[in-house]
Amino acid sequence: MRLLLVHSLLFSFGLARAAVTAYGPHVQSPFGATTAASASYTGAASYDQTTLVPPDPPNPPPPNQFNVELQTGGVSGLSIQQEGSFFGFSIEFSVTTQLPFTIIHSSFLQVPFLNLMANLRQRAGSVKIRVGGNTQDTATMVDSTPDGAALEKDYEGSSNPTQTPPLVFTSEIIKMMAEVSALTNVYWYMGIPFNDTQNWRLQIAEVGEAMLGKYLIGLQAGNEPDLYSRHGHRPQTYSPQDYKDEFGLLINAMDNDPKISNNNLLIGPNLAGVWSPSDIWPTGFATDFNKNLAALAVERYPTDNCYAQFGIGNPVNSQEVFPNFLTHQSGISIASEFPGATDYAQSVGKPFLMFETNTASCGGFPGLSDSFGAALWGIDYALQLAYSNFSTVLFHVGGQSVYYNPFTPPVTNQSSFHQWTIGPVYYSALVVAEALGSSNVAQVLDLQANGGNDYTPGYAIYENGQPVRVALTNFITDPSGNNDYTASISVGGTVPSQVKVKYLLADSVAQISNFTWAGQTFGAAFTSDGRPVGTLDVQTIPCDQTNNVCQVKVPAPGFALVFLTDDSLSESNSGPTATFSTTGYTKLHGTATVDPSILATSNGEKAIAGMLAGTSQGRQMSSAFGIAHALPSLAAVLAGALIIGRLALVQ
């Protein structure tokens, strides 16, 4: 068996947002003052320590004791059956070489990324990831690039208000995806370029099918086509019917491609919100192309922070909008933007996906998108989508200039001594994976807990008609303890003698990092290798079987996941996660070192306006970009490597 090196070499990011993505070497600045721990730190948004003020407790306060009555058998209002991998990620195509793998070769995978995916696989059984976004529509697969990189960006050809650069990439990208799947059971969505409908570039489908096999579960056809005319990619008259017609042209091209045997993986219409699904359905899109569609999908964000990034729209103050995310209504409002859509999808036999989302487009908000409040919001929002019969939700992952990332590698000039930063949305993903479990028959019920109070939502998770878990959130911050609440859970028949409870905790909804899930944490910025740290703390709460009640306390703020049976706990967390450690090195060429104390506060961007540097052997640099400026990037070669056996690619 041939060996390969899987390393945690960390390269600098392109700049990305979600529904709107920014590219280039410039980063957004926070709106308002920052309270960063170190005034000398000159890093990007992903490490901004801006801390907001938590909203005051509501007045009058919600009741701090209420009943949760769970029925068994024949329960009405349950969702469709949900998979444990319901909560996944959407990675912007242009940053794939900084997250799952690197720009060198398929032999090099990011060890922390593998660990993060292994955590989810152990809880949910598998993970779903989309690689795509704006950059997929202009991507071109080539046999090789001039300097041997797996992916390169053409900034001279940038388009859109967000300066989207065309991409060229090689099959190494897809080969690396197959390696990740073999190790961590990740299933992938990709996208077919949609910018030239007369000359389809189908190589991504051809190679994806050949290399990924069963791990390729969808091909997006058109990313946010309702924005094409606004971005100058289609005439102003471009309509839902025009999109449907182009979709048909793509199907014809795939039918005539002998290298594509599976043409039923397409996903559409992938709307951003200018059109609604009800504008698409009358065209016959979902019925005429039914056999070719794997799923129907939309993309949505509750708001945007585009003024901070591009000067588009109006300024938004994080502090002012923070309370909007700390209510049950936030998730309900997003789900309600698609009236009848999930019912329609079921009527045509297709799952309905939230294909890209997060706290706010254009990178999120400082102090909000990276706060504990965002973790609570992500849990409630995801469970609300599950209850509303969405089949998958994918939270977007961008580069260094965004606040909402679930996980972020360090910038290049700090990768020899800094580790990854784990954001609140990753905690949300872990919690939802455990809430739904790995049975793939979970059904979700919004309990309208506490009289439907907006600050204390609750969900019950059923399997085969029986309640197995209860998810309880407290959005309020109150260190006095007066807004802690106790939920008295009863079950039709009788409660068990005891229940097990895991808590997601922080001191405040405004806290940045160092949250704990069942006593374990991924720490502060730059401190994680993707493995949770600390002693696992699963609390046992005795129940009163005489009165058929289990009393579970939820602090303000906090989240509690109640396991009603031992089987429901073991299904969600069957034991220690098989993770990956760093056991080798890839320091093959550059041996120059830089004092870490100096490197930590260097911004690594001097004299690179409009260009990116690289460390690939033979890479050309302009005379303005001298070796002194390149040294921080060379220092990244000090990152470690994991030696493992190469697993066969799935055919």
Side-chain angles (χ1 to χ4, degrees):
M1 180 167 56
R2 195 156 53 95
L3 297 180
L4 74 154
L5 294 177
V6 180
H7 77 131
S8 54
L9 181 63
L10 304 169
F11 285 81
S12 61
F13 274 62
L15 306 188
R17 53 101 207 166
V20 179
T21 303
Y23 304 91
H26 312 292
V27 298
Q28 66 168 304
S29 300
F31 185 91
T34 179
T35 58
S38 172
S40 63
Y41 179 67
T42 56
S46 294
Y47 319 109
D48 185 357
Q49 295 298 298
T50 294
T51 303
L52 304 180
V53 178
D56 291 332
N59 188 17
N64 58 12
Q65 293 197 32
F66 56 88
N67 297 327
V68 174
E69 299 178 359
L70 304 177
Q71 303 303 313
T72 59
V75 179
S76 62
L78 295 176
S79 74
I80 60 174
Q81 292 184 349
Q82 301 289 4
E83 297 178 349
S85 57
F86 177 85
F87 193 124
F89 306 106
S90 165
I91 298 178
E92 189 67 42
F93 199 160
S94 60
V95 301
T96 53
T97 50
Q98 290 87 41
L99 288 165
F101 20 78
T102 75
I103 63 175
I104 300 178
H105 191 269
S106 61
S107 298
F108 296 88
L109 307 180
Q110 295 277 22
V111 169
F113 180 82
L114 295 176
N115 287 337
L116 293 168
M117 296 305 103
N119 297 333
L120 292 169
R121 176 200 57 191
Q122 187 256 345
R123 291 160 172 81
S126 62
V127 188
K128 295 175 185 173
I129 298 179
R130 169 222 188 188
V131 172
N134 284 341
T135 44
Q136 79 184 26
D137 272 348
T138 56
T140 300
M141 181 179 286
V142 295
D143 292 335
S144 63
T145 60
D147 66 356
L151 181 149
E152 291 190 347
K153 308 170 192 178
D154 176 16
Y155 285 98
E156 297 300 321
S158 297
S159 60
N160 285 355
T162 58
Q163 292 300 298
T164 303
L167 301 179
V168 293
F169 67 101
T170 73
S171 61
E172 286 294 314
I173 293 290
I174 300 175
K175 192 182 299 182
M176 288 185 275
M177 293 165 63
E179 295 286 2
V180 170
S181 295
L183 292 167
T184 60
N185 210 31
V186 170
Y187 288 78
W188 302 93
Y189 300 101
M190 300 190 75
I192 295 177
F194 215 76
N195 66 323
D196 186 352
T197 57
Q198 300 303 311
N199 301 284
W200 294 100
R201 302 189 301 283
L202 301 178
Q203 296 93 332
I204 197 167
E206 297 167 355
V207 178
E209 179 181 312
M211 288 188 172
L212 295 176
K214 70 176 183 179
Y215 291 110
L216 178 63
I217 57 174
L219 291 167
Q220 186 183 29
N223 181 65
E224 301 173 338
D226 48 340
L227 293 178
Y228 283 170
S229 62
R230 291 189 178 188
H231 292 170
H233 300 319
R234 298 292 193 279
Q236 289 299 312
T237 56
Y238 191 71
S239 68
Q241 183 62 52
D242 293 324
Y243 169 70
K244 188 227 176 179
D245 292 344
E246 291 181 345
F247 200 95
L249 293 175
L250 172 60
I251 291 173
N252 291 337
M254 294 178 71
D255 286 343
N256 292 319
D257 188 334
K259 296 181 180 180
I260 299 176
S261 61
N262 187 356
N263 63 357
N264 60 358
L265 293 178
L266 296 179
I267 295 175
N270 317 306
L271 304 180
V274 176
W275 303 339
S276 69
S278 59
D279 295 324
I280 294 287
W281 309 152
T283 69
F285 174 82
T287 52
D288 294 351
F289 302 142
N290 191 272
K291 70 175 184 179
N292 303 104
L293 284 164
L296 302 172
V298 292
E299 304 177 15
R300 195 58 46 92
Y301 294 78
T303 185
D304 71 80
N305 193 25
C306 296
Y307 185 87
Q309 189 77 288
F310 312 110
I312 300 171
N314 299 310
V316 179
N317 188 298
S318 302
Q319 185 67 61
E320 293 176 0
V321 299
F322 195 20
N324 300 343
F325 290 82
L326 303 174
T327 69
H328 186 44
Q329 186 60 43
S330 177
I332 293 174
S333 296
I334 301 171
S336 66
E337 292 185 33
F338 309 96
T342 56
D343 290 340
Y344 179 80
Q346 291 175 62
S347 75
V348 297
K350 301 300 174 184
F352 195 72
L353 316 181
M354 180 62 75
F355 217 51
E356 179 181 322
T357 193
N358 215 305
T359 48
S361 62
C362 301
F365 297 106
L368 188 162
S369 299
D370 48 1
S371 71
F372 183 65
L376 298 179
W377 171 82
I379 295 167
D380 189 67
Y381 172 32
L383 290 176
Q384 184 61 214
L385 291 182
Y387 168 67
S388 301
N389 293 330
F390 284 72
S391 293
T392 295
V393 59
L394 304 177
F395 280 72
H396 204 53
V397 186
Q400 300 286 333
S401 68
V402 304
Y403 298 98
Y404 55 48
N405 280 344
F407 36 77
T408 310
V411 293
T412 306
N413 62 0
Q414 299 177 24
S415 60
S416 64
F417 56 93
H418 275 158
Q419 298 192 74
W420 283 41
T421 300
I422 310 305
V425 168
Y426 183 77
Y427 287 84
S428 305
L430 282 182
V431 169
V432 173
E434 293 198 34
L436 297 178
S438 58
S439 70
N440 294 335
V441 297
Q443 293 177 279
V444 182
L445 179 67
D446 186 340
L447 296 170
Q448 292 297 308
N450 203 6
N453 188 273
D454 225 13
Y455 300 100
T456 58
Y459 297 87
I461 313 312
Y462 281 74
E463 292 179 359
N464 303 312
Q466 301 298 314
V468 293
R469 302 176 198 88
V470 179
L472 301 168
T473 300
N474 191 339
F475 281 117
I476 302 169
T477 295
D478 184 359
S480 74
N482 291 334
N483 278 283
D484 295 355
Y485 71 74
T486 299
S488 299
I489 301 172
S490 61
V491 180
T494 184
V495 296
S497 60
Q498 62 184 26
V499 294
K500 300 294 179 66
V501 182
K502 288 186 175 184
Y503 286 98
L504 181 66
L505 298 174
D507 293 335
S508 163
V509 292
Q511 182 174 320
I512 306 297
S513 72
N514 284 311
F515 324 131
T516 59
W517 171 235
Q520 296 182 313
T521 183
F522 294 95
F526 304 120
T527 62
S528 180
D529 67 357
R531 295 178 290 186
V533 176
T535 302
L536 183 66
D537 180 16
V538 182
Q539 299 192 19
T540 300
I541 297 179
C543 298
D544 182 348
Q545 290 185 303
T546 302
N547 294 305
N548 190 31
V549 65
C550 304
Q551 295 190 330
V552 178
K553 186 175 182 180
V554 183
F559 170 87
L561 182 59
V562 184
F563 298 88
L564 300 177
T565 67
D566 290 340
D567 286 345
S568 69
L569 175 61
S570 60
E571 176 199 320
S572 293
N573 197 344
S574 57
T577 302
T579 55
F580 306 88
S581 61
T582 301
T583 60
Y585 293 90
T586 59
K587 187 179 180 184
L588 304 176
H589 295 291
T591 57
T593 59
V594 180
D595 183 346
S597 65
I598 298 174
L599 198 57
T601 55
S602 69
N603 60 22
E605 289 188 343
K606 184 177 180 182
I608 67 163
M611 67 169 291
L612 295 179
T615 57
S616 300
Q617 193 171 12
R619 181 70 174 257
Q620 297 298 312
M621 296 182 183
S622 70
S623 58
F625 195 86
I627 187 64
H629 299 146
L631 282 176
S633 291
L634 292 174
V637 180
L638 295 171
L642 167 73
I643 303 179
I644 65 172
R646 178 183 292 274
L647 300 181
L649 299 182
V650 177
Q651 298 297 326

